[in-house]
Amino acid sequence: MHYGLLEDTPPGQWLPDVLEGFSRQSIPVHEESDRPVTATLVRHDDVEGLPLLYIHGWSDYFYNTELADAAARHGHQLYALDLRKYGRSLRPRQQPGYIDHLAEYDQEINAALDLIAHEHPGEQPAMIAHSTGGLIAALWANRYPGRLRTLVLNAPWLTLQGNTWLRGFANTVADPVWRSMPERKLLLPKVDFFYRTISSNEHGEWVLHPLWRPRYSFDIHGGWLSAILEGHSKVRAGLAIDVPVLVLVSTKTHFGAKYSFKMQTADSVLDVEATAKRATHLGNTVMIHKIPDAIHDVYASARPVRDHAFATTFEWLNYFTGNQMERQSLPRNDGLGRRTSQPHPTGFSD
């Protein structure tokens, strides 16, 4: 296992990834303070199928190899994009996750899709995105009609948490202050509740990279939060995504001042009702599917729950991509982010 930061791959070359059975390729973005900034495209190797691109959430990276295996079994080849300053793309002296405008991510998303198109000529991809990545993907899809077959959003962060007064204060009073001091770090409480729900070191099942998915999320700066609020405002005003959108959320939310085991079967990060309501602003064809006992990342929930999420996702994808192929289950191996137990033949644990 590799627990440090990575270096860029040689231009145009795939190198073995930290996950066994995967490769990665760096995508140049720009230079910042005379240092290159890159994103990273991860590819599930030795798989045939329609292309599917996954985008992670805040303070996160791609580690869910079970999602890739499920994709392969249903006739899709998964690619995953670690955005600039996240995960495999994080470099020394960078502010993790920081960006001024979410539209800047268009560069690596479009470049990733160009690479995928080169490997899958004539095949239009689908996309899955989680949480903050879901907001980024929705805004991107709205700006780039015609590039996807369909979009799946896993608990997307579409609106600020809290009551109407708090959201109004953030947008009208606090946002101008944050924009004037974009590098200012916001002094917010440090909590590790979601980490505890997913990490194999706590109550979860996933082996997580300590720098790429730390116990406490990345520091939040004013400029980044302003970019998020701007994105929320655009969703609130209404998008016109031109493809069918599936939105997956838990059936319940559980917020608390301290960790509770109830967080293992609820979204402890976002208000699922507010998310579902705001999702209707994404486009004309939106289906909201609530999954009982799902956590914030529905694909990282307990095995029966995530199997439900996988089945729903790939039934949707195969319908809207016209894909009828199903592959044999792939052999499992131990890698960073992969569970070490073997799956039950039915997909559920004994």
Side-chain angles (χ1 to χ4, degrees):
M1 292 185 183
H2 187 287
Y3 284 105
L5 301 181
L6 300 179
E7 296 181 352
D8 292 347
T9 63
Q13 292 188 29
W14 292 98
L15 293 184
D17 187 51
V18 296
L19 296 173
E20 187 175 346
F22 292 77
S23 298
R24 64 182 177 93
Q25 183 175 154
S26 297
I27 298 174
V29 177
H30 66 88
E31 288 195 356
E32 188 175 276
S33 301
D34 298 323
R35 295 191 300 271
V37 177
T38 60
T40 308
L41 186 62
V42 181
R43 181 185 66 191
H44 195 193
D45 292 334
D46 301 323
V47 173
E48 294 181 359
L50 297 179
L52 174 61
L53 179 62
Y54 172 86
I55 301 177
H56 59 82
W58 169 247
S59 196
D60 201 4
Y61 71 104
F62 172 69
Y63 60 84
N64 194 329
T65 55
E66 289 194 14
L67 175 61
D69 287 350
R73 288 194 297 270
H74 290 86
H76 297 265
Q77 182 177 20
L78 187 77
Y79 294 78
L81 181 62
D82 278 12
L83 300 167
R84 68 185 76 178
K85 302 180 184 179
Y86 286 92
R88 297 162 180 83
S89 310
L90 183 61
R91 300 292 180 264
R93 299 185 301 281
Q94 288 183 343
Q95 175 55 53
Y98 184 81
I99 202 162
D100 291 314
H101 300 283
L102 298 184
E104 293 177 28
Y105 289 126
D106 291 1
Q107 186 174 358
E108 53 248 58
I109 295 173
N110 289 332
L113 290 174
D114 288 344
L115 281 173
I116 293 170
H118 180 73
E119 298 198 340
H120 295 264
E123 295 181 347
Q124 195 172 32
M127 184 183 291
I128 298 177
H130 169 55
S131 196
T132 305
L135 174 63
I136 294 166
L139 295 170
W140 174 88
N142 187 63
R143 287 190 294 270
Y144 292 90
R147 295 212 65 179
L148 297 178
R149 295 291 292 271
T150 185
L151 176 63
V152 178
L153 301 180
N154 167 11
W157 188 19
L158 302 178
T159 184
L160 192 66
Q161 303 309 297
N163 58 32
T164 303
W165 180 89
L166 177 61
R167 291 194 294 270
F169 172 80
N171 283 286
T172 61
V173 179
D175 187 32
V177 175
W178 295 332
R179 286 186 182 279
S180 67
M181 297 179 288
E183 300 295 331
R184 181 176 180 178
K185 184 169 67 175
L186 305 185
L187 299 179
L188 301 173
K190 289 283 190 179
V191 296
D192 63 351
F193 305 154
F194 183 55
Y195 175 89
R196 294 170 72 173
T197 67
I198 61 174
S199 172
S200 60
N201 292 330
E202 293 285 347
H203 307 291
E205 304 177 68
W206 305 91
V207 180
L208 302 174
H209 192 293
L211 299 178
W212 301 351
R213 207 325 167 182
R215 174 179 288 272
Y216 300 101
S217 68
F218 301 152
D219 290 334
I220 293 177
H221 292 74
W224 177 85
L225 189 54
S226 291
I228 295 295
L229 293 175
E230 180 183 18
H232 288 168
S233 295
K234 291 179 178 179
V235 175
R236 183 173 64 251
L239 304 183
I241 297 175
D242 68 332
V243 295
V245 182
L246 172 65
V247 178
L248 301 175
V249 294
S250 180
T251 54
K252 57 184 179 290
T253 298
H254 185 83
F255 296 145
K258 61 181 181 179
Y259 173 81
S260 165
F261 201 71
K262 293 179 179 179
M263 295 175 179
Q264 298 298 135
T265 55
D267 192 322
S268 60
V269 178
L270 299 181
D271 182 329
V272 297
E273 295 302 327
T275 299
K277 182 178 180 180
R278 187 53 52 85
T280 62
H281 294 222
L282 295 173
N284 290 333
T285 307
V286 179
M287 187 175 90
I288 299 161
H289 187 83
K290 295 184 177 182
I291 299 182
D293 295 331
I295 61 174
H296 176 52
D297 183 347
V298 299
Y299 300 133
S301 303
R303 174 169 292 283
V305 180
R306 65 179 180 265
D307 281 344
H308 176 179
F310 291 155
T312 300
T313 297
F314 291 105
E315 183 177 359
W316 175 275
L317 289 175
N318 285 344
Y319 180 83
F320 284 105
T321 62
N323 183 17
Q324 301 301 320
M325 296 182 295
E326 296 247 349
R327 308 288 175 178
Q328 296 296 317
S329 296
L330 299 177
R332 300 177 62 80
N333 52 59
D334 297 341
L336 187 63
R338 185 185 291 273
R339 295 181 71 248
T340 56
S341 59
Q342 295 294 320
H344 190 278
T346 63
F348 291 88
S349 300
D350 292 323

PDB file of all heavy atoms in Angstrom, residues 37-66:
ATOM      1  N   VAL A  37      -0.111  21.827 -11.675  1.00  0.00           N
ATOM      2  CA  VAL A  37      -1.305  21.310 -11.022  1.00  0.00           C
ATOM      3  C   VAL A  37      -1.929  20.303 -11.973  1.00  0.00           C
ATOM      4  O   VAL A  37      -2.121  20.588 -13.160  1.00  0.00           O
ATOM      5  CB  VAL A  37      -2.301  22.441 -10.700  1.00  0.00           C
ATOM      6  CG1 VAL A  37      -3.577  21.871 -10.082  1.00  0.00           C
ATOM      7  CG2 VAL A  37      -1.670  23.466  -9.758  1.00  0.00           C
ATOM      8  N   THR A  38      -2.224  19.126 -11.455  1.00  0.00           N
ATOM      9  CA  THR A  38      -2.766  18.061 -12.298  1.00  0.00           C
ATOM     10  C   THR A  38      -3.975  17.421 -11.637  1.00  0.00           C
ATOM     11  O   THR A  38      -4.161  17.493 -10.421  1.00  0.00           O
ATOM     12  CB  THR A  38      -1.722  16.968 -12.579  1.00  0.00           C
ATOM     13  OG1 THR A  38      -1.302  16.401 -11.329  1.00  0.00           O
ATOM     14  CG2 THR A  38      -0.522  17.524 -13.313  1.00  0.00           C
ATOM     15  N   ALA A  39      -4.796  16.788 -12.460  1.00  0.00           N
ATOM     16  CA  ALA A  39      -5.831  15.867 -11.996  1.00  0.00           C
ATOM     17  C   ALA A  39      -5.377  14.457 -12.370  1.00  0.00           C
ATOM     18  O   ALA A  39      -4.352  14.286 -13.035  1.00  0.00           O
ATOM     19  CB  ALA A  39      -7.172  16.208 -12.630  1.00  0.00           C
ATOM     20  N   THR A  40      -6.123  13.454 -11.943  1.00  0.00           N
ATOM     21  CA  THR A  40      -5.725  12.073 -12.209  1.00  0.00           C
ATOM     22  C   THR A  40      -6.927  11.252 -12.639  1.00  0.00           C
ATOM     23  O   THR A  40      -7.952  11.235 -11.952  1.00  0.00           O
ATOM     24  CB  THR A  40      -5.110  11.410 -10.961  1.00  0.00           C
ATOM     25  OG1 THR A  40      -4.080  12.238 -10.434  1.00  0.00           O
ATOM     26  CG2 THR A  40      -4.542  10.045 -11.299  1.00  0.00           C
ATOM     27  N   LEU A  41      -6.794  10.585 -13.783  1.00  0.00           N
ATOM     28  CA  LEU A  41      -7.824   9.665 -14.240  1.00  0.00           C
ATOM     29  C   LEU A  41      -7.400   8.244 -13.875  1.00  0.00           C
ATOM     30  O   LEU A  41      -6.277   7.826 -14.176  1.00  0.00           O
ATOM     31  CB  LEU A  41      -8.027   9.787 -15.746  1.00  0.00           C
ATOM     32  CG  LEU A  41      -9.198   8.976 -16.327  1.00  0.00           C
ATOM     33  CD1 LEU A  41     -10.524   9.436 -15.745  1.00  0.00           C
ATOM     34  CD2 LEU A  41      -9.207   9.070 -17.853  1.00  0.00           C
ATOM     35  N   VAL A  42      -8.284   7.513 -13.226  1.00  0.00           N
ATOM     36  CA  VAL A  42      -8.053   6.125 -12.822  1.00  0.00           C
ATOM     37  C   VAL A  42      -8.904   5.231 -13.706  1.00  0.00           C
ATOM     38  O   VAL A  42     -10.073   5.531 -13.973  1.00  0.00           O
ATOM     39  CB  VAL A  42      -8.413   5.918 -11.333  1.00  0.00           C
ATOM     40  CG1 VAL A  42      -8.156   4.478 -10.910  1.00  0.00           C
ATOM     41  CG2 VAL A  42      -7.632   6.887 -10.459  1.00  0.00           C
ATOM     42  N   ARG A  43      -8.318   4.132 -14.164  1.00  0.00           N
ATOM     43  CA  ARG A  43      -9.005   3.209 -15.078  1.00  0.00           C
ATOM     44  C   ARG A  43      -9.052   1.809 -14.501  1.00  0.00           C
ATOM     45  O   ARG A  43      -8.052   1.290 -14.003  1.00  0.00           O
ATOM     46  CB  ARG A  43      -8.273   3.180 -16.422  1.00  0.00           C
ATOM     47  CG  ARG A  43      -8.897   2.264 -17.471  1.00  0.00           C
ATOM     48  CD  ARG A  43      -8.035   2.207 -18.729  1.00  0.00           C
ATOM     49  NE  ARG A  43      -6.736   1.579 -18.477  1.00  0.00           N
ATOM     50  CZ  ARG A  43      -5.720   1.584 -19.336  1.00  0.00           C
ATOM     51  NH1 ARG A  43      -5.850   2.186 -20.500  1.00  0.00           N
ATOM     52  NH2 ARG A  43      -4.580   0.979 -19.025  1.00  0.00           N
ATOM     53  N   HIS A  44     -10.215   1.181 -14.555  1.00  0.00           N
ATOM     54  CA  HIS A  44     -10.341  -0.230 -14.198  1.00  0.00           C
ATOM     55  C   HIS A  44      -9.851  -1.050 -15.383  1.00  0.00           C
ATOM     56  O   HIS A  44     -10.450  -1.022 -16.463  1.00  0.00           O
ATOM     57  CB  HIS A  44     -11.802  -0.551 -13.882  1.00  0.00           C
ATOM     58  CG  HIS A  44     -11.999  -1.847 -13.166  1.00  0.00           C
ATOM     59  ND1 HIS A  44     -13.236  -2.436 -13.022  1.00  0.00           N
ATOM     60  CD2 HIS A  44     -11.121  -2.678 -12.545  1.00  0.00           C
ATOM     61  CE1 HIS A  44     -13.114  -3.560 -12.339  1.00  0.00           C
ATOM     62  NE2 HIS A  44     -11.834  -3.740 -12.047  1.00  0.00           N
ATOM     63  N   ASP A  45      -8.772  -1.771 -15.200  1.00  0.00           N
ATOM     64  CA  ASP A  45      -8.105  -2.443 -16.306  1.00  0.00           C
ATOM     65  C   ASP A  45      -8.743  -3.793 -16.638  1.00  0.00           C
ATOM     66  O   ASP A  45      -9.446  -4.399 -15.814  1.00  0.00           O
ATOM     67  CB  ASP A  45      -6.628  -2.669 -15.962  1.00  0.00           C
ATOM     68  CG  ASP A  45      -5.850  -1.368 -15.889  1.00  0.00           C
ATOM     69  OD1 ASP A  45      -6.255  -0.394 -16.548  1.00  0.00           O
ATOM     70  OD2 ASP A  45      -4.843  -1.318 -15.147  1.00  0.00           O
ATOM     71  N   ASP A  46      -8.440  -4.259 -17.848  1.00  0.00           N
ATOM     72  CA  ASP A  46      -8.843  -5.595 -18.320  1.00  0.00           C
ATOM     73  C   ASP A  46     -10.351  -5.804 -18.201  1.00  0.00           C
ATOM     74  O   ASP A  46     -10.824  -6.886 -17.833  1.00  0.00           O
ATOM     75  CB  ASP A  46      -8.092  -6.684 -17.537  1.00  0.00           C
ATOM     76  CG  ASP A  46      -6.589  -6.565 -17.686  1.00  0.00           C
ATOM     77  OD1 ASP A  46      -6.140  -6.220 -18.796  1.00  0.00           O
ATOM     78  OD2 ASP A  46      -5.868  -6.802 -16.698  1.00  0.00           O
ATOM     79  N   VAL A  47     -11.098  -4.755 -18.496  1.00  0.00           N
ATOM     80  CA  VAL A  47     -12.557  -4.811 -18.452  1.00  0.00           C
ATOM     81  C   VAL A  47     -13.086  -4.281 -19.778  1.00  0.00           C
ATOM     82  O   VAL A  47     -12.569  -3.299 -20.313  1.00  0.00           O
ATOM     83  CB  VAL A  47     -13.119  -3.953 -17.293  1.00  0.00           C
ATOM     84  CG1 VAL A  47     -14.641  -3.867 -17.364  1.00  0.00           C
ATOM     85  CG2 VAL A  47     -12.682  -4.535 -15.947  1.00  0.00           C
ATOM     86  N   GLU A  48     -14.096  -4.935 -20.312  1.00  0.00           N
ATOM     87  CA  GLU A  48     -14.774  -4.447 -21.508  1.00  0.00           C
ATOM     88  C   GLU A  48     -16.163  -3.961 -21.121  1.00  0.00           C
ATOM     89  O   GLU A  48     -16.817  -4.535 -20.250  1.00  0.00           O
ATOM     90  CB  GLU A  48     -14.893  -5.550 -22.558  1.00  0.00           C
ATOM     91  CG  GLU A  48     -13.556  -6.010 -23.124  1.00  0.00           C
ATOM     92  CD  GLU A  48     -13.732  -7.086 -24.178  1.00  0.00           C
ATOM     93  OE1 GLU A  48     -14.904  -7.462 -24.430  1.00  0.00           O
ATOM     94  OE2 GLU A  48     -12.736  -7.539 -24.740  1.00  0.00           O
ATOM     95  N   GLY A  49     -16.608  -2.900 -21.771  1.00  0.00           N
ATOM     96  CA  GLY A  49     -17.945  -2.408 -21.487  1.00  0.00           C
ATOM     97  C   GLY A  49     -18.068  -0.943 -21.825  1.00  0.00           C
ATOM     98  O   GLY A  49     -17.102  -0.282 -22.229  1.00  0.00           O
ATOM     99  N   LEU A  50     -19.259  -0.427 -21.665  1.00  0.00           N
ATOM    100  CA  LEU A  50     -19.511   0.974 -21.936  1.00  0.00           C
ATOM    101  C   LEU A  50     -18.829   1.840 -20.884  1.00  0.00           C
ATOM    102  O   LEU A  50     -18.773   1.479 -19.702  1.00  0.00           O
ATOM    103  CB  LEU A  50     -21.019   1.244 -21.946  1.00  0.00           C
ATOM    104  CG  LEU A  50     -21.817   0.527 -23.029  1.00  0.00           C
ATOM    105  CD1 LEU A  50     -23.295   0.862 -22.897  1.00  0.00           C
ATOM    106  CD2 LEU A  50     -21.306   0.895 -24.409  1.00  0.00           C
ATOM    107  N   PRO A  51     -18.304   2.998 -21.268  1.00  0.00           N
ATOM    108  CA  PRO A  51     -17.539   3.824 -20.329  1.00  0.00           C
ATOM    109  C   PRO A  51     -18.437   4.523 -19.317  1.00  0.00           C
ATOM    110  O   PRO A  51     -19.532   4.991 -19.631  1.00  0.00           O
ATOM    111  CB  PRO A  51     -16.847   4.836 -21.240  1.00  0.00           C
ATOM    112  CG  PRO A  51     -17.730   4.933 -22.444  1.00  0.00           C
ATOM    113  CD  PRO A  51     -18.313   3.569 -22.631  1.00  0.00           C
ATOM    114  N   LEU A  52     -17.917   4.587 -18.094  1.00  0.00           N
ATOM    115  CA  LEU A  52     -18.619   5.201 -16.974  1.00  0.00           C
ATOM    116  C   LEU A  52     -17.607   5.985 -16.154  1.00  0.00           C
ATOM    117  O   LEU A  52     -16.596   5.431 -15.710  1.00  0.00           O
ATOM    118  CB  LEU A  52     -19.269   4.107 -16.114  1.00  0.00           C
ATOM    119  CG  LEU A  52     -19.947   4.511 -14.816  1.00  0.00           C
ATOM    120  CD1 LEU A  52     -21.101   5.474 -15.072  1.00  0.00           C
ATOM    121  CD2 LEU A  52     -20.437   3.269 -14.072  1.00  0.00           C
ATOM    122  N   LEU A  53     -17.840   7.278 -15.955  1.00  0.00           N
ATOM    123  CA  LEU A  53     -16.914   8.139 -15.212  1.00  0.00           C
ATOM    124  C   LEU A  53     -17.485   8.455 -13.845  1.00  0.00           C
ATOM    125  O   LEU A  53     -18.634   8.879 -13.718  1.00  0.00           O
ATOM    126  CB  LEU A  53     -16.661   9.439 -15.971  1.00  0.00           C
ATOM    127  CG  LEU A  53     -15.716  10.450 -15.279  1.00  0.00           C
ATOM    128  CD1 LEU A  53     -14.320   9.865 -15.102  1.00  0.00           C
ATOM    129  CD2 LEU A  53     -15.663  11.751 -16.058  1.00  0.00           C
ATOM    130  N   TYR A  54     -16.645   8.279 -12.819  1.00  0.00           N
ATOM    131  CA  TYR A  54     -17.031   8.552 -11.426  1.00  0.00           C
ATOM    132  C   TYR A  54     -16.248   9.754 -10.903  1.00  0.00           C
ATOM    133  O   TYR A  54     -15.040   9.864 -11.126  1.00  0.00           O
ATOM    134  CB  TYR A  54     -16.729   7.329 -10.554  1.00  0.00           C
ATOM    135  CG  TYR A  54     -16.918   7.574  -9.072  1.00  0.00           C
ATOM    136  CD1 TYR A  54     -18.170   7.431  -8.475  1.00  0.00           C
ATOM    137  CD2 TYR A  54     -15.845   7.952  -8.268  1.00  0.00           C
ATOM    138  CE1 TYR A  54     -18.340   7.663  -7.120  1.00  0.00           C
ATOM    139  CE2 TYR A  54     -16.016   8.188  -6.910  1.00  0.00           C
ATOM    140  CZ  TYR A  54     -17.265   8.042  -6.338  1.00  0.00           C
ATOM    141  OH  TYR A  54     -17.437   8.276  -5.004  1.00  0.00           O
ATOM    142  N   ILE A  55     -16.953  10.663 -10.171  1.00  0.00           N
ATOM    143  CA  ILE A  55     -16.314  11.823  -9.548  1.00  0.00           C
ATOM    144  C   ILE A  55     -16.636  11.802  -8.052  1.00  0.00           C
ATOM    145  O   ILE A  55     -17.802  11.698  -7.665  1.00  0.00           O
ATOM    146  CB  ILE A  55     -16.780  13.141 -10.192  1.00  0.00           C
ATOM    147  CG1 ILE A  55     -16.457  13.152 -11.689  1.00  0.00           C
ATOM    148  CG2 ILE A  55     -16.127  14.335  -9.500  1.00  0.00           C
ATOM    149  CD1 ILE A  55     -16.955  14.392 -12.414  1.00  0.00           C
ATOM    150  N   HIS A  56     -15.610  11.920  -7.242  1.00  0.00           N
ATOM    151  CA  HIS A  56     -15.712  11.811  -5.784  1.00  0.00           C
ATOM    152  C   HIS A  56     -16.259  13.084  -5.153  1.00  0.00           C
ATOM    153  O   HIS A  56     -16.554  14.078  -5.826  1.00  0.00           O
ATOM    154  CB  HIS A  56     -14.326  11.529  -5.203  1.00  0.00           C
ATOM    155  CG  HIS A  56     -13.338  12.602  -5.553  1.00  0.00           C
ATOM    156  ND1 HIS A  56     -13.247  13.788  -4.867  1.00  0.00           N
ATOM    157  CD2 HIS A  56     -12.423  12.692  -6.556  1.00  0.00           C
ATOM    158  CE1 HIS A  56     -12.314  14.559  -5.404  1.00  0.00           C
ATOM    159  NE2 HIS A  56     -11.799  13.907  -6.453  1.00  0.00           N
ATOM    160  N   GLY A  57     -16.352  13.069  -3.833  1.00  0.00           N
ATOM    161  CA  GLY A  57     -16.851  14.213  -3.080  1.00  0.00           C
ATOM    162  C   GLY A  57     -15.746  15.003  -2.398  1.00  0.00           C
ATOM    163  O   GLY A  57     -14.561  14.858  -2.702  1.00  0.00           O
ATOM    164  N   TRP A  58     -16.144  15.852  -1.440  1.00  0.00           N
ATOM    165  CA  TRP A  58     -15.226  16.714  -0.704  1.00  0.00           C
ATOM    166  C   TRP A  58     -14.333  15.875   0.210  1.00  0.00           C
ATOM    167  O   TRP A  58     -14.775  14.910   0.832  1.00  0.00           O
ATOM    168  CB  TRP A  58     -16.031  17.731   0.106  1.00  0.00           C
ATOM    169  CG  TRP A  58     -15.238  18.509   1.108  1.00  0.00           C
ATOM    170  CD1 TRP A  58     -15.338  18.440   2.469  1.00  0.00           C
ATOM    171  CD2 TRP A  58     -14.221  19.486   0.841  1.00  0.00           C
ATOM    172  NE1 TRP A  58     -14.461  19.306   3.065  1.00  0.00           N
ATOM    173  CE2 TRP A  58     -13.756  19.971   2.088  1.00  0.00           C
ATOM    174  CE3 TRP A  58     -13.662  19.998  -0.333  1.00  0.00           C
ATOM    175  CZ2 TRP A  58     -12.757  20.930   2.187  1.00  0.00           C
ATOM    176  CZ3 TRP A  58     -12.669  20.960  -0.231  1.00  0.00           C
ATOM    177  CH2 TRP A  58     -12.232  21.423   1.012  1.00  0.00           C
ATOM    178  N   SER A  59     -13.059  16.267   0.287  1.00  0.00           N
ATOM    179  CA  SER A  59     -12.092  15.599   1.164  1.00  0.00           C
ATOM    180  C   SER A  59     -12.102  14.091   0.901  1.00  0.00           C
ATOM    181  O   SER A  59     -12.132  13.287   1.828  1.00  0.00           O
ATOM    182  CB  SER A  59     -12.428  15.894   2.626  1.00  0.00           C
ATOM    183  OG  SER A  59     -11.353  15.587   3.480  1.00  0.00           O
ATOM    184  N   ASP A  60     -12.021  13.718  -0.364  1.00  0.00           N
ATOM    185  CA  ASP A  60     -12.270  12.340  -0.756  1.00  0.00           C
ATOM    186  C   ASP A  60     -11.443  11.985  -1.980  1.00  0.00           C
ATOM    187  O   ASP A  60     -10.733  12.833  -2.543  1.00  0.00           O
ATOM    188  CB  ASP A  60     -13.771  12.183  -1.057  1.00  0.00           C
ATOM    189  CG  ASP A  60     -14.261  10.751  -0.995  1.00  0.00           C
ATOM    190  OD1 ASP A  60     -13.482   9.853  -0.645  1.00  0.00           O
ATOM    191  OD2 ASP A  60     -15.445  10.538  -1.320  1.00  0.00           O
ATOM    192  N   TYR A  61     -11.548  10.750  -2.427  1.00  0.00           N
ATOM    193  CA  TYR A  61     -10.861  10.254  -3.622  1.00  0.00           C
ATOM    194  C   TYR A  61     -11.532   8.951  -4.017  1.00  0.00           C
ATOM    195  O   TYR A  61     -12.412   8.446  -3.303  1.00  0.00           O
ATOM    196  CB  TYR A  61      -9.363  10.038  -3.344  1.00  0.00           C
ATOM    197  CG  TYR A  61      -9.067   8.854  -2.431  1.00  0.00           C
ATOM    198  CD1 TYR A  61      -8.584   7.656  -2.935  1.00  0.00           C
ATOM    199  CD2 TYR A  61      -9.267   8.942  -1.049  1.00  0.00           C
ATOM    200  CE1 TYR A  61      -8.310   6.568  -2.099  1.00  0.00           C
ATOM    201  CE2 TYR A  61      -8.995   7.873  -0.203  1.00  0.00           C
ATOM    202  CZ  TYR A  61      -8.526   6.690  -0.735  1.00  0.00           C
ATOM    203  OH  TYR A  61      -8.277   5.624   0.086  1.00  0.00           O
ATOM    204  N   PHE A  62     -11.142   8.370  -5.149  1.00  0.00           N
ATOM    205  CA  PHE A  62     -11.737   7.106  -5.558  1.00  0.00           C
ATOM    206  C   PHE A  62     -11.045   5.943  -4.848  1.00  0.00           C
ATOM    207  O   PHE A  62      -9.842   5.743  -4.995  1.00  0.00           O
ATOM    208  CB  PHE A  62     -11.639   6.896  -7.070  1.00  0.00           C
ATOM    209  CG  PHE A  62     -12.068   5.508  -7.474  1.00  0.00           C
ATOM    210  CD1 PHE A  62     -13.398   5.128  -7.360  1.00  0.00           C
ATOM    211  CD2 PHE A  62     -11.141   4.574  -7.913  1.00  0.00           C
ATOM    212  CE1 PHE A  62     -13.804   3.840  -7.690  1.00  0.00           C
ATOM    213  CE2 PHE A  62     -11.534   3.285  -8.255  1.00  0.00           C
ATOM    214  CZ  PHE A  62     -12.869   2.925  -8.140  1.00  0.00           C
ATOM    215  N   TYR A  63     -11.825   5.184  -4.098  1.00  0.00           N
ATOM    216  CA  TYR A  63     -11.305   3.988  -3.431  1.00  0.00           C
ATOM    217  C   TYR A  63     -12.258   2.792  -3.555  1.00  0.00           C
ATOM    218  O   TYR A  63     -11.884   1.659  -3.242  1.00  0.00           O
ATOM    219  CB  TYR A  63     -11.069   4.256  -1.940  1.00  0.00           C
ATOM    220  CG  TYR A  63     -12.315   4.655  -1.174  1.00  0.00           C
ATOM    221  CD1 TYR A  63     -13.188   3.700  -0.678  1.00  0.00           C
ATOM    222  CD2 TYR A  63     -12.617   5.993  -0.958  1.00  0.00           C
ATOM    223  CE1 TYR A  63     -14.336   4.066   0.004  1.00  0.00           C
ATOM    224  CE2 TYR A  63     -13.753   6.372  -0.271  1.00  0.00           C
ATOM    225  CZ  TYR A  63     -14.612   5.400   0.208  1.00  0.00           C
ATOM    226  OH  TYR A  63     -15.756   5.775   0.884  1.00  0.00           O
ATOM    227  N   ASN A  64     -13.475   3.010  -4.034  1.00  0.00           N
ATOM    228  CA  ASN A  64     -14.512   1.988  -3.969  1.00  0.00           C
ATOM    229  C   ASN A  64     -14.401   1.014  -5.143  1.00  0.00           C
ATOM    230  O   ASN A  64     -15.076   1.147  -6.157  1.00  0.00           O
ATOM    231  CB  ASN A  64     -15.883   2.656  -3.935  1.00  0.00           C
ATOM    232  CG  ASN A  64     -16.987   1.700  -3.540  1.00  0.00           C
ATOM    233  OD1 ASN A  64     -16.915   0.510  -3.811  1.00  0.00           O
ATOM    234  ND2 ASN A  64     -18.020   2.224  -2.901  1.00  0.00           N
ATOM    235  N   THR A  65     -13.552   0.017  -4.962  1.00  0.00           N
ATOM    236  CA  THR A  65     -13.365  -0.966  -6.025  1.00  0.00           C
ATOM    237  C   THR A  65     -14.593  -1.851  -6.214  1.00  0.00           C
ATOM    238  O   THR A  65     -14.764  -2.448  -7.279  1.00  0.00           O
ATOM    239  CB  THR A  65     -12.142  -1.839  -5.728  1.00  0.00           C
ATOM    240  OG1 THR A  65     -12.290  -2.432  -4.437  1.00  0.00           O
ATOM    241  CG2 THR A  65     -10.869  -1.009  -5.745  1.00  0.00           C
ATOM    242  N   GLU A  66     -15.437  -1.957  -5.192  1.00  0.00           N
ATOM    243  CA  GLU A  66     -16.670  -2.734  -5.354  1.00  0.00           C
ATOM    244  C   GLU A  66     -17.588  -2.079  -6.381  1.00  0.00           C
ATOM    245  O   GLU A  66     -18.307  -2.773  -7.110  1.00  0.00           O
ATOM    246  CB  GLU A  66     -17.381  -2.894  -4.023  1.00  0.00           C
ATOM    247  CG  GLU A  66     -16.674  -3.838  -3.067  1.00  0.00           C
ATOM    248  CD  GLU A  66     -17.563  -4.241  -1.910  1.00  0.00           C
ATOM    249  OE1 GLU A  66     -18.795  -4.016  -1.973  1.00  0.00           O
ATOM    250  OE2 GLU A  66     -17.027  -4.784  -0.932  1.00  0.00           O
TER     251      GLU A  66
END
